[in-house]
Amino acid sequence: MLLDSRAVFDVLYMLIGHAHDNEETALKLDPPDDFFRIRLVIALLSTCGSYFSKGAAGRRLDRFLTFMQAYVAAKQQLPLDVEADLQDLYNQLRPRLEHFNSYTEAAAAVSDILAKEAAASASGLEPIEEEESDEEEERGGTAAQADAAAGLAGTAGDEEEDGEVGSGDGLDEYERGDEQGLAAAVDDEFEREYMSLLQECQGRASSPAAAAAVAAPLSAVAGPSGSSSQQLLLRRQMRR
């Protein structure tokens, strides 16, 4: 888990509650006709609010949206763009959210939440949510470890595939070496056949001119593949 949801909700509550302990300060820092904080809340929840769909994080989001409606109801009439963005946010995060028609209804809902939390705190039931949050974080850490292990396994598989490719390259080199050996064997066989044919022609030839006439076509057949040793042997035979 990269970020605990409690840190996100601390920022959200700070946005709608900062400087509201004193009415005079609140009017200066957050006047009723200023909607900048609402825009900030919309931007933040549009980014990460979809991850708070269940468990302790889901209940925290439900609680905050109640406080958010009370905050918005205390403002003047919202501009059309802000109101549209806010309704889109509600529909995205909580399509079945209970909407309050007035500040009185929203304030009553906030008071009810605070009264229930006070009663739970007095009876010692408050840490249950914290324990559930810790369990969620542990599950998130386990999932992250599983993802890391899967990533390592994938890296090892890639290395094995690279090794197999390397062995294939060596096999190609071995095959190229066999081709070179085969070409050398063909040259040797050609040389033996050429010498045998040359000797046969020499036995039949009665004069150096006839031997030269026979050797000329053979040199043309040999072409570029004929070696210097073959040419030297041919010249010696012609001199005889």
Side-chain angles (χ1 to χ4, degrees):
M1 180 179 294
L2 297 178
L3 182 64
D4 188 353
S5 62
R6 286 172 291 190
V8 177
F9 285 103
D10 287 343
V11 174
L12 291 172
Y13 281 111
M14 182 185 67
L15 289 176
I16 65 175
H18 178 65
H20 280 265
D21 296 336
N22 184 279
E23 183 177 357
E24 183 178 357
T25 305
L27 290 176
K28 291 181 179 179
L29 299 180
D30 189 23
D33 57 348
D34 185 21
F35 311 102
F36 179 68
R37 296 190 184 191
I38 298 177
R39 297 179 188 273
L40 291 178
V41 171
I42 294 173
L44 182 54
L45 285 180
S46 297
T47 303
C48 60
S50 59
Y51 296 99
F52 309 141
S53 59
K54 58 184 178 179
R59 289 191 293 274
R60 290 193 185 103
L61 180 59
D62 295 336
R63 181 183 189 274
F64 173 77
L65 292 179
T66 301
F67 281 77
M68 179 67 180
Q69 290 190 70
Y71 175 79
V72 172
K75 291 285 187 177
Q76 295 181 0
Q77 181 65 34
L78 298 179
L80 293 179
D81 59 332
V82 177
E83 185 175 2
D85 292 341
L86 188 61
Q87 294 301 322
D88 291 341
L89 179 67
Y90 290 157
N91 294 331
Q92 174 188 354
L93 301 180
R94 293 294 185 270
R96 299 180 180 180
L97 178 67
E98 180 184 0
H99 295 276
F100 303 106
N101 298 322
S102 64
Y103 174 76
T104 303
E105 293 181 1
V110 169
S111 300
D112 185 50
I113 291 175
L114 296 177
K116 290 181 179 179
E117 290 178 351
S121 177
S123 61
L125 298 178
E126 184 177 7
I128 295 179
E129 183 176 349
E130 301 297 332
E131 292 177 0
E132 293 179 353
S133 177
D134 294 338
E135 291 178 358
E136 289 181 359
E137 293 178 2
E138 290 177 359
R139 288 194 295 270
T142 303
Q145 293 176 359
D147 293 340
L152 293 176
T155 304
D158 294 340
E159 292 178 354
E160 291 179 358
E161 292 178 359
D162 294 340
E164 293 177 357
V165 171
S167 62
D169 294 341
L171 182 60
D172 293 340
E173 293 178 0
Y174 178 75
E175 292 177 353
R176 288 195 295 270
D178 288 346
E179 292 177 358
Q180 294 177 359
L182 181 60
V186 172
D187 292 340
D188 294 340
E189 184 178 0
F190 174 80
E191 185 175 356
R192 287 194 299 269
E193 294 292 337
Y194 175 76
M195 293 303 299
S196 177
L197 183 59
L198 184 61
Q199 292 175 1
E200 183 179 355
C201 291
Q202 183 181 1
R204 294 179 181 178
S206 57
S207 64
V214 173
L218 294 178
S219 299
V221 172
S225 61
S227 61
S228 59
S229 60
Q230 294 173 354
Q231 296 177 3
L232 180 60
L233 291 174
L234 179 60
R235 290 177 183 177
R236 289 179 180 177
Q237 296 295 337
M238 292 176 63
R239 289 176 183 176
R240 294 179 183 177

